[in-house]
């Protein structure tokens, strides 16, 4: 067993191409990691279907802990969602094609997590032709430049997955961004001012991407609303976050900033 930042990971099995395969019961294991939507808390899930995949957006997948090539499993429809995100992100990021995606895994047989349904994925770092975006906030802390790139990526993920957990969610997520579709299902996300993870996205975008002087309160309070209105005005956004188009425009303006 190899451990990193509270995560125990088991590796075994070899595919025909010599690449390690994360089998059932293997992958990201962290009993304190709350990778679930509130309505799914404590549940165990049986995957409807699982499919192996070793690329995302045309880029080879890698295992963050030992930095080797990896093949993961996920629900095939969830893989399609990831591919849709990747195509969109490449267009918005301005960094060119993806060349490597480092991850902690997808499917893992662990209750209370959408990983068990094969409908979750953990991002550690993205490599592009024109640069890298790291999700390893545990390594670089509050560095302004890295935070700006981090929250641009997070905005892109938030558009496609309502349940996107970042370094602000808890200590366990300082080394990766978790996404699942337990809340948004097979549709794009919508803004809920009562969602802590979405408010965290909004506040950190305002601070680190758009340079607004805002406190990170995890609450959609008056200072946050004022900052959002300023960002909307500067980016020609007339629709409020409560409208699907307004939320999408805010996130895409952040991702492409």
């Amino acid at each position: 067993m190899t451990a990193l930042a509270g995560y125990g990971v088991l590796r075994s099995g070899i595919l025909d191409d010599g690449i390690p395969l994360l089998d059932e019961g293997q992958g990201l294991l962290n009993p304190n990691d709350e990778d679930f939507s509130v309505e799914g808390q404590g549940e165990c899930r049986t995957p409807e279907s699982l499919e192996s995949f070793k690329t995302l957006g045309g880029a080879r997948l890698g295992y963050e802990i030992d930095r080797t090539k990896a093949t993961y499993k996920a629900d095939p429809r969830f893989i399609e969602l990831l591919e849709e995100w990747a195509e969109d992100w490449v267009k918005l990021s301005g960094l060119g094609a993806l060349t490597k995606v480092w991850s902690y895994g997808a499917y893992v047989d662990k209750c209370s997590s959408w990983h068990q349904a094969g409908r979750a994925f953990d991002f550690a770092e993205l490599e592009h032709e024109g640069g890298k975006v790291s999700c390893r906030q545990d390594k670089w802390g509050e560095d302004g430049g890295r935070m700006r790139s981090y929250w641009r990526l997070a905005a892109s993920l938030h558009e496609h997955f309502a349940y996107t957990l970042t370094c602000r969610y808890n200590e366990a997520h300082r080394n990766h961004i978790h996404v699942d579709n337990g809340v948004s299902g097979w549709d794009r996300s919508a803004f809920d001012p009562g969602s802590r993870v979405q408010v965290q996205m909004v506040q950190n975008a305002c601070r680190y991407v758009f340079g607004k002087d805002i406190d990170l309160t995890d609450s959609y309070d008056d200072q946050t609303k004022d900052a959002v209105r300023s960002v909307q005005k500067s980016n020609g956004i007339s629709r409020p976050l409560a409208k699907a188009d307004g939320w999408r425009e805010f996130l895409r303006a952040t991702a492409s900033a």
Side-chain angles (χ1 to χ4, degrees):
M1 176 173 288
T2 303
L4 176 68
Y7 294 85
V9 182
L10 301 176
R11 299 289 299 274
S12 70
I14 300 294
L15 296 180
D16 290 340
D17 58 2
I19 303 304
L21 171 68
L22 299 187
D23 293 323
E24 291 188 6
Q26 301 173 335
L28 179 63
L29 298 176
N30 180 5
N32 299 315
D33 193 3
E34 299 178 2
D35 287 347
F36 48 74
S37 57
V38 289
E39 63 267 30
Q41 184 170 348
E43 293 182 6
C44 292
R45 302 173 174 87
T46 301
E48 294 182 11
S49 178
L50 289 174
E51 179 178 303
S52 296
F53 66 115
K54 58 184 179 182
T55 63
L56 178 55
R60 194 67 172 86
L61 293 173
Y63 188 50
E64 172 65 10
I65 288 181
D66 58 13
R67 286 275 163 158
T68 60
K69 295 177 181 178
T71 297
Y72 299 111
K73 293 180 180 179
D75 185 303
R77 294 175 299 168
F78 188 78
I79 296 173
E80 290 178 5
L81 291 184
L82 289 172
E83 290 289 355
E84 290 174 6
W85 161 79
E87 181 180 3
D88 196 31
W89 164 246
V90 167
K91 294 175 182 177
L92 293 172
S93 69
L95 294 173
L98 281 165
T99 58
K100 182 77 76 172
V101 176
W102 297 102
S103 172
Y104 286 102
Y107 168 75
V108 61
D109 191 9
K110 183 188 75 170
C111 293
S112 299
S113 171
W114 283 99
H115 284 285
Q116 190 182 38
R119 292 167 53 184
F121 191 81
D122 292 332
F123 291 90
E125 185 178 62
L126 302 181
E127 294 184 15
H128 291 261
E129 289 178 344
K132 299 180 181 181
V133 181
S134 171
C135 303
R136 296 297 306 271
Q137 196 261 350
D138 61 321
K139 289 187 173 182
W140 41 260
E142 298 295 313
D143 178 85
R146 290 182 181 269
M147 273 295 197
R148 188 174 191 275
S149 296
Y150 179 98
W151 288 105
R152 289 182 60 213
L153 170 60
S156 175
L157 291 167
H158 265 278
E159 181 186 351
H160 292 259
F161 306 96
Y163 213 61
T164 297
L165 306 183
T166 68
C167 61
R168 299 303 189 205
Y169 184 72
N170 62 16
E171 186 71 16
H173 289 83
R174 290 187 63 218
N175 66 354
H176 70 285
I177 294 180
H178 164 95
V179 299
D180 69 55
N181 70 334
V183 173
S184 49
W186 309 107
D187 299 319
R188 297 291 175 93
S189 70
F191 180 64
D192 176 2
S195 167
R196 180 164 68 97
V197 297
Q198 289 183 331
V199 171
Q200 288 171 342
M201 175 67 245
V202 170
Q203 290 185 333
N204 282 274
C206 288
R207 172 185 278 193
Y208 291 105
V209 180
F210 298 109
K212 304 302 178 183
D213 185 12
I214 182 175
D215 294 326
L216 304 179
T217 63
D218 290 1
S219 174
Y220 197 55
D221 46 26
D222 288 342
Q223 56 130 15
T224 304
K225 294 174 184 177
D226 288 343
V228 167
R229 281 192 286 267
S230 177
V231 169
Q232 290 171 323
K233 182 177 180 180
S234 299
N235 287 274
I237 301 172
S238 60
R239 301 176 182 88
L241 295 188
K243 298 291 185 180
D245 287 344
W247 175 236
R248 180 175 180 271
E249 290 167 355
F250 178 86
L251 292 175
R252 295 181 75 79
T254 303
S256 61

